[in-house]
Amino acid sequence: MKKAALSEVKDDLSKFLRLAEKEEVVITRHRRPTGVLIGFEDEEDWY
């Protein structure tokens, strides 16, 4: 699990989407967890 500040995620969303395909990304605001970015390796994972 990777942690990233909201400002980082906003600046480079495509990078974090690629990373989320492999592991969850916890998004923090003021160093507190506020959300999780979960990606899919392929479209079949969505169904």
Side-chain angles (χ1 to χ4, degrees):
M1 183 181 325
K2 167 103 171 131
K3 289 185 181 179
L6 178 59
S7 59
E8 281 184 86
V9 175
K10 285 171 41 177
D11 289 344
D12 202 354
L13 181 59
S14 61
K15 169 186 159 185
F16 287 98
L17 286 173
R18 286 190 303 273
L19 182 60
E21 289 178 354
K22 296 173 179 40
E23 63 180 315
E24 292 179 354
V25 178
V26 175
I27 300 170
T28 62
R29 187 175 352 156
H30 304 291
R31 298 184 184 158
R32 294 187 176 169
T34 57
V36 178
L37 186 60
I38 301 171
F40 302 103
E41 289 186 31
D42 59 43
E43 284 184 36
E44 297 298 319
D45 292 340
W46 176 250
Y47 302 106

